[in-house]
């Protein structure tokens, strides 16, 4: 037996115990079966006949105003996935990094650089991630709609329905969608090369773009995707701060950042578990699970399975074994994974470039939290201030202050 409070504080000791003693276990508070071993988790993610993403009772359907891509199966899933999958091809990701991500990261870094200290999670990594992806999607880069959606969806995901007020508050925020619906209307009439435009028009005859009912719920759920690269960059920095020799290696050779980001995704990726529902009665890990049961496939646990990884609790950017489940597996493997890692890597690269002496602030208190979505918490850091002045009166602490007021 495991409790949600145990998982939220630090799931990894609990995962290790469960892999040894009860690899498929019932979690009453969540109303789900928790699956922790590599082989079983991969089975859940790849066997779409027995384990489906279709979850009619999911609160995401109401919050997003329809079924997001994550909960679709079959042709409904394939059609929308193919509409924007090519936005994440290697050459397009390279173009995104060169023309959008790196300039955005440099502007944000220069804005906070003079202060000499900041919460890098809230004041640097999150803005870089949100502004970059908001621009790529085809929205006004000045809008914070994806950021607001991502934050409330994170709270809902980690609440597991325990507090109805969380879902009620999230519904109000998710209903504030004028910025997105206006963009959808504009791009319906005048297509361009953005993600929203491709969602509307890819593989559709002229004048017959996909309806809002298909496109808008997908975009609302992508609010989480707008935050994920920032979380991944934060976890990579946490990992490097915990391993001074590897941090020194990255400073000496920034080409190692790609390996560092990928290993951080295994070691402590921001997406800790993926949900499925059984389509029939199944036997998994020696347990009999009924049809219609909810499954929590703990990819964070699978990625530290001792049967697959040597010394799995240690972050090692030189690790030989490169295969892990950080982006899922099977037909629902994250299509944007090249973009997520590229944006996280770019944010870290610019951080080192602009603030080479960045280090944990004295007395910094680490506060990671969550297990379905695991966040690194505040990343209070200091460095030698630069001569670049903050833009428009924005200071290093203003983003955190704005969140406190919201």
């Amino acid at each position: 037996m495991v409790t949600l409070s145990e998982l939220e504080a630090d799931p990894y000791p609990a995962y290790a115990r469960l892999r040894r003693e009860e690899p498929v276990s019932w979690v009453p508070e969540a109303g789900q079966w928790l699956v922790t071993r590599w082989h079983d988790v991969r089975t859940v993610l790849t066997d779409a006949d027995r384990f489906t993403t279709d979850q009619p009772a999911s609160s995401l359907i109401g919050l997003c105003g329809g079924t997001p891509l994550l909960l679709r199966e079959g042709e409904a899933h394939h059609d929308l996935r193919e509409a924007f999958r090519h936005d994440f091809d290697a050459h397009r990701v390279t173009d995104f990094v060169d023309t959008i991500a790196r300039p955005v990261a440099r502007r944000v870094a220069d804005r906070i650089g003079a202060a000499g200290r900041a919460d890098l999670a809230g004041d640097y990594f999150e803005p870089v991630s949100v502004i970059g992806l908001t621009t790529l999607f085809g929205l006004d880069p000045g809008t914070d709609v994806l950021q607001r959606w991502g934050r409330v969806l994170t709270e809902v995901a980690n609440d597991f329905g325990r507090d109805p007020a969380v879902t009620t508050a999230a519904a109000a925020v998710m209903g504030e969608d004028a910025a997105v619906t206006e963009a959808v209307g504009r791009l319906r009439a005048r297509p361009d090369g953005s993600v929203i435009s491709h969602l509307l028009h890819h593989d559709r005859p002229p004048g017959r773009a996909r309806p809002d009912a298909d496109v808008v719920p997908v975009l609302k759920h992508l609010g989480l995707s707008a935050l994920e690269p920032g979380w991944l960059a934060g976890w990579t920095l946490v990992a490097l701060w915990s391993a001074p020799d590897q941090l020194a290696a990255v400073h000496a050779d920034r080409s190692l950042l790609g390996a560092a980001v990928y290993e951080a995704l295994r070691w402590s990726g921001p997406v800790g578990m993926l949900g499925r529902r059984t389509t029939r009665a199944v036997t998994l890990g020696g347990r009999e699970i009924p049809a219609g049961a909810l499954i929590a496939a703990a990819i964070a646990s699978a990625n530290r399975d001792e049967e697959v990884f040597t010394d799995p609790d240690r972050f090692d950017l030189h690790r030989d074994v490169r295969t892990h489940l950080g982006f899922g597996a099977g037909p629902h493997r994250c299509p944007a994974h090249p973009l997520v890692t590229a944006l996280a890597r770019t944010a870290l690269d610019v951080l080192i470039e602009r603030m080479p002496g960045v280090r944990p602030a004295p007395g910094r208190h680490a506060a990671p939290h969550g297990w379905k979505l695991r966040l690194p918490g505040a990343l209070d850091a200091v460095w030698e201030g630069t001569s670049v002045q903050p833009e428009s009166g924005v200071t290093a602490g203003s983003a955190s202050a704005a969140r406190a007021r919201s």
Side-chain angles (χ1 to χ4, degrees):
M1 179 72 71
V2 66
T3 65
L4 290 187
S5 60
E6 188 179 3
L7 293 170
E8 288 165 347
D10 182 359
Y12 293 104
Y15 287 155
R17 184 184 79 246
L18 291 172
R19 287 194 301 270
R20 290 191 308 268
E21 301 174 1
E22 193 180 9
V24 177
S25 55
W26 175 247
V27 183
E29 292 172 280
Q32 300 186 26
W33 292 88
L34 180 61
V35 182
T36 53
R37 284 183 182 167
W38 169 278
H39 177 75
D40 293 331
V41 169
R42 195 175 190 285
T43 295
V44 169
L45 299 181
T46 57
D47 186 347
D49 288 336
R50 294 191 297 159
F51 304 96
T52 180
T53 62
D54 177 24
Q55 299 178 45
S58 172
S59 61
L60 280 178
I61 297 173
L63 290 171
C64 295
T67 306
L69 185 65
L70 179 70
L71 301 182
R72 291 175 178 243
E73 289 284 16
E75 183 56 31
H77 170 254
H78 179 77
D79 176 61
L80 282 172
R81 182 185 174 95
E82 286 299 301
F84 70 106
R85 178 176 63 83
H86 294 293
D87 286 308
F88 312 120
D89 288 344
H91 71 284
R92 292 186 178 177
V93 169
T94 298
D95 182 66
F96 165 74
V97 167
D98 291 342
T99 63
I100 298 176
R102 191 171 297 277
V104 166
R106 285 173 171 165
R107 287 198 299 271
V108 176
D110 291 346
R111 187 175 66 202
I112 67 174
R117 67 180 303 125
D119 164 19
L120 293 177
D123 298 322
Y124 178 68
F125 290 132
E126 185 172 304
V128 170
S129 182
V130 168
I131 296 170
L133 292 184
T134 296
T135 304
L136 179 69
F137 287 177
L139 298 169
D140 180 345
T143 182
D144 66 349
V145 64
L146 293 180
Q147 184 178 47
R148 289 185 287 109
W149 287 349
R151 287 176 179 170
V152 297
L153 288 175
T154 300
E155 293 176 0
V156 170
N158 282 335
D159 181 66
F160 287 93
R162 288 172 292 174
D163 183 358
V166 171
T167 302
T168 300
V173 175
M174 298 299 292
E176 298 168 358
D177 57 7
V180 166
T181 55
E182 288 171 6
V184 169
R186 168 174 53 83
L187 293 167
R188 184 183 300 281
R190 298 187 300 277
D192 61 13
S194 67
V195 170
I196 293 177
S197 183
H198 293 156
L199 277 170
L200 285 164
H201 298 287
H202 176 79
D203 202 27
R204 302 287 287 188
R208 296 182 59 188
R210 289 178 179 83
D212 285 12
D214 276 342
V215 173
V216 173
V218 172
L219 294 172
K220 288 192 172 186
H221 190 248
L222 285 176
L224 284 173
S225 300
L227 299 180
E228 186 178 347
W231 296 336
L232 178 55
W235 275 120
T236 306
L237 185 62
V238 168
L240 290 170
W241 277 350
S242 72
D245 59 327
Q246 297 183 62
L247 178 62
V250 165
H251 275 278
D253 180 4
R254 296 215 298 271
S255 70
L256 292 173
L257 277 171
V261 167
Y262 197 69
E263 168 67 353
L265 185 64
R266 181 203 67 82
W267 179 73
S268 189
V271 179
M273 80 86 154
L274 295 170
R276 295 293 188 268
R277 179 175 60 85
T278 56
T279 62
R280 67 197 73 166
V282 300
T283 301
L284 189 71
R287 301 296 296 269
E288 300 296 326
I289 302 176
L294 296 180
I295 305 291
I299 57 176
S301 176
N303 283 337
R304 293 201 188 189
D305 192 328
E306 301 83 354
E307 297 298 316
V308 178
F309 301 99
T310 302
D311 197 6
D313 292 329
R314 182 170 64 91
F315 171 84
D316 181 6
L317 65 84
H318 304 293
R319 185 178 296 276
D320 290 334
V321 179
R322 306 306 299 164
T323 301
H324 60 62
L325 299 175
F327 287 114
H332 283 271
R333 186 171 190 262
C334 176
H337 65 89
L339 184 78
V340 173
T341 52
L343 183 48
R345 184 180 69 244
T346 302
L348 288 159
D349 191 32
V350 171
L351 179 71
I352 294 172
E353 170 191 273
R354 289 300 207 252
M355 294 168 264
V358 66
R359 58 197 180 274
R364 172 183 173 266
H365 175 66
H369 54 281
W371 67 282
K372 182 174 183 178
L373 296 174
R374 182 127 180 106
L375 281 62
L379 298 174
D380 296 318
V382 295
W383 59 90
E384 285 65 49
T386 66
S387 60
V388 178
Q389 294 301 310
E391 300 173 3
S392 305
V394 177
T395 62
S398 62
S400 297
R403 287 196 302 278
R405 294 193 297 270
S406 62

